[in-house]
Amino acid sequence: MEKFYVTTAIDYVNASPHIGHAYEKIAADVLARFHRIRGKDVFFLTGVDEHGIKVERTAAAAGKSPQEFVDEMSAKFKAAWEKLNVVPDRFIRTTEDEHKKVVQEMFRRMQEKGDIYKSSYTGHYCEGCEDFVRERDLDEQGNCPNHKKPPRQVSEENYFFKLSKYKDAIRKWMTEDPSRVQPDGRRKEVLNQLEDPEVTDFSVSRSKNSLKWGIPVPGDEDQVIYVWIDALTNYFTGGGGFEGNGYWPATLHLVGKDIIKFHCIYWPAMLMAAGVELPAGVFAHGFITVEGQKISKSLGNVIDPIALVEQYGADAVRYSLFSGSAFDQDGDFSGKELIRRVNSELANNVGNLLNRSLTLVDKNCGGKIPDCQPENLVRKQANLIHETVDEHMKKYDFSGAINAILALVDQANKYMNDEKPWTLFKEGKQKEGEEVLFTCLEVLRRTAMNLYPFTPELSQKMWYQLGYDDEVGKIGDSIRDDGFFDLIPAGQTVRNQGPIFKRIEDGDGGTDGDKAGSEVAKSAKGKK
Ligand code: MSP
């Protein structure tokens, strides 16, 4: 069976999960579900990054021990993903013993190769980035351009990794197969970074005086392993580490555009030094803004994903995040847009097609799927939808996949309006009426399957109403070798249980979705 091992970045636990973190975890879950129903052996890893100075300081400020603090925060992340129906095969925490051992072994192997040496260093360290910032990149006030805070002047003796030795090999890795780093614009950006002489050997440890909360350097009690070395290694721990569990190398590291240097330069170099196979690919997604603005605590727009799910349901959140904007570019979240899309696309277009079809089947076909094989344009389009969706998903074009499914649903709704099966039945044209219904039911079956990665609950409800007793998420278990899914079975009894997706009404009964969105932001703020 073909394997698909997908990972996400692991989130820092110094603050609660927000919609930007959720965006990436849902995306990985969409891919995991997509490949699973296509019959692949999927392993989906996500988790949290629990070490580092930021976490150490936030715990101290909260009057807690670092361990106590990360235990509480990790539970919050886990709970948020559960609410969103994000179901990883493993939720990794970097404080796990198993992970610590893999990180130390990784360090040891890099050392054995002669790629780690001791040296002293002076630089500007930004705690937000958990990285050194170059002097020329600081803004006019001397702040880190990303975090708008002054970096700390750090001067220490640390262990260094010989990145310079691997620059040529990394360039080759990224150029000989351009699909390894996507989208292409990001690949070019990293290739440019690689040419920068300042992207060179870097410090891979901190003295215990400046950082205690981390994994000790093996054989040197005075030093702690740099948080990025620790964090990146989570992917390898998840893949079974040096013992292996059959999943490494990862098929895909899904990460935000801000951390590609770590994933496309540091990580492959570390793996080469440790003699470990490289991942097959990295994809950098865009950032989510909220109502046009960067997510930030000071703006008060940090939307708590749990509050959002409580207000709208997991499917609505999942769907609205990926239907509107291109995954490889920045996108915006607004309550208004969520309500508009969910109401018009899911409740109206998909919901109406299902409801009308099932009502007519109950009334005219004894509640059973008619036995026929009509040939018409809509059926032809329906037969193509799997391939079309595959094409989009292969390119991580989630909104393209969703739009193709919706276009098919629109086409079927229009076809039903034009053919008027209710009139055909009235005129005694039973066969013709049944053919129209069968066509629409086939579209619905394919819609349930193809929307499933985005809206698992809605799809399961559709599946059940179409008369299936199994789970739509398990169809990959019985997929035929040629990838063809059987037709909806003639004679299967449908179960019309009313709307699969209720229209979302705003609190005021109006359509002021923006207000709804900011109510969530407010309640999320109030909880802290
Ligand atoms: N801990 C590191 C990653 C280590 S991976 C070996 C880190 N953590 S983070 O919490 O700052 O970010 C986690 C992920 O969330 C990153 O991929 C980041 O790009 C993503 N996002 C953070 N804010 C985001 C948005 N506003 N929109 C979309 N993704 C965002 O970096």
Side-chain angles (χ1 to χ4, degrees), residues 349-469:
N349 292 8
V350 180
N352 281 352
L353 183 66
L354 182 74
N355 196 258
R356 294 201 290 169
S357 303
L358 296 190
T359 305
L360 287 165
V361 168
D362 276 342
K363 213 169 149 196
N364 303 287
C365 313
K368 292 191 190 309
I369 307 282
D371 190 1
C372 54
Q373 283 287 332
E375 278 184 29
N376 56 51
L377 189 65
V378 179
R379 269 213 69 199
K380 263 195 206 131
Q381 296 295 336
N383 288 342
L384 289 177
I385 192 68
H386 260 64
E387 276 173 42
T388 312
V389 167
D390 279 354
E391 284 303 310
H392 287 293
M393 295 300 280
K394 235 189 266 163
K395 293 185 283 186
Y396 306 98
D397 175 11
F398 293 174
S399 56
I402 290 177
N403 286 336
I405 305 165
L406 288 181
L408 178 65
V409 172
D410 277 345
Q411 210 185 350
N413 267 321
K414 186 172 175 303
Y415 166 75
M416 190 186 275
N417 292 346
D418 292 346
E419 298 296 320
K420 302 187 177 48
W422 47 90
T423 311
L424 293 172
F425 288 119
K426 240 185 240 160
E427 290 170 353
K429 295 179 180 156
Q430 184 69 19
K431 181 171 167 282
E432 287 82 348
E434 286 183 357
E435 287 186 348
V436 177
L437 291 189
F438 185 89
T439 302
C440 294
L441 291 161
E442 257 298 286
V443 167
L444 285 160
R445 180 183 69 96
R446 288 173 181 273
T447 302
M449 293 190 312
N450 284 300
L451 272 186
Y452 165 77
F454 302 97
T455 55
E457 287 176 18
L458 170 88
S459 289
Q460 182 54 37
K461 279 190 202 152
M462 288 177 76
W463 202 241
Y464 181 80
Q465 294 205 13
L466 290 170
Y468 290 98
D469 291 318

Side-chain angles (χ1 to χ4, degrees), residues 31-207:
L31 287 169
R33 289 177 190 268
F34 171 78
H35 287 286
R36 217 166 253 141
I37 62 166
R38 294 294 199 266
K40 288 199 190 152
D41 175 11
V42 172
F43 190 72
F44 165 24
L45 178 78
T46 190
V48 278
D49 192 351
E50 301 188 317
H51 290 127
I53 191 78
K54 247 193 308 201
V55 173
E56 189 175 65
R57 274 178 203 275
T58 321
K64 296 191 172 144
S65 75
Q67 190 63 54
E68 200 185 343
F69 179 73
V70 298
D71 285 349
E72 275 176 29
M73 293 303 288
S74 297
K76 278 198 189 179
F77 279 83
K78 219 173 161 197
W81 306 157
E82 274 165 24
K83 278 264 182 190
L84 280 157
N85 283 329
V86 168
V87 187
D89 294 288
R90 176 162 176 191
F91 182 88
I92 194 168
R93 298 180 52 185
T94 52
T95 51
E96 288 170 19
D97 281 344
E98 184 194 341
H99 174 70
K100 289 183 192 165
K101 282 189 198 129
V102 178
V103 172
Q104 290 185 324
E105 183 56 25
M106 186 79 128
F107 198 93
R108 237 179 257 122
R109 291 194 187 204
M110 288 157 70
Q111 240 169 351
E112 250 170 43
K113 190 79 168 280
D115 291 341
I116 284 185
Y117 60 93
K118 235 178 176 181
S119 176
S120 53
Y121 187 79
T122 301
H124 306 282
Y125 194 76
C126 169
E127 289 174 5
C129 300
E130 291 280 14
D131 196 15
F132 285 96
V133 196
R134 296 179 303 190
E135 180 120 35
R136 65 179 143 110
D137 287 336
L138 299 177
D139 68 14
E140 281 167 9
Q141 286 77 41
N143 290 333
C144 158
N146 288 330
H147 294 89
K148 308 283 174 224
K149 282 191 186 147
R152 260 183 333 124
Q153 186 78 6
V154 170
S155 189
E156 281 184 358
E157 178 162 77
N158 298 139
Y159 288 96
F160 276 69
F161 172 55
K162 275 191 198 162
L163 176 70
S164 49
K165 181 174 155 188
Y166 294 97
K167 283 178 98 168
D168 287 343
I170 295 166
R171 191 177 301 110
K172 186 163 172 247
W173 177 73
M174 260 190 276
T175 41
E176 71 187 3
D177 179 355
S179 74
R180 285 180 178 147
V181 177
Q182 293 184 60
D184 209 50
R186 297 279 167 219
R187 189 177 68 95
K188 290 186 178 128
E189 191 183 314
V190 198
L191 279 168
N192 278 340
Q193 285 180 0
L194 203 57
E195 299 311 317
D196 183 339
E198 285 188 42
V199 173
T200 184
D201 298 2
F202 62 96
S203 134
V204 288
S205 71
R206 294 282 171 276
S207 91

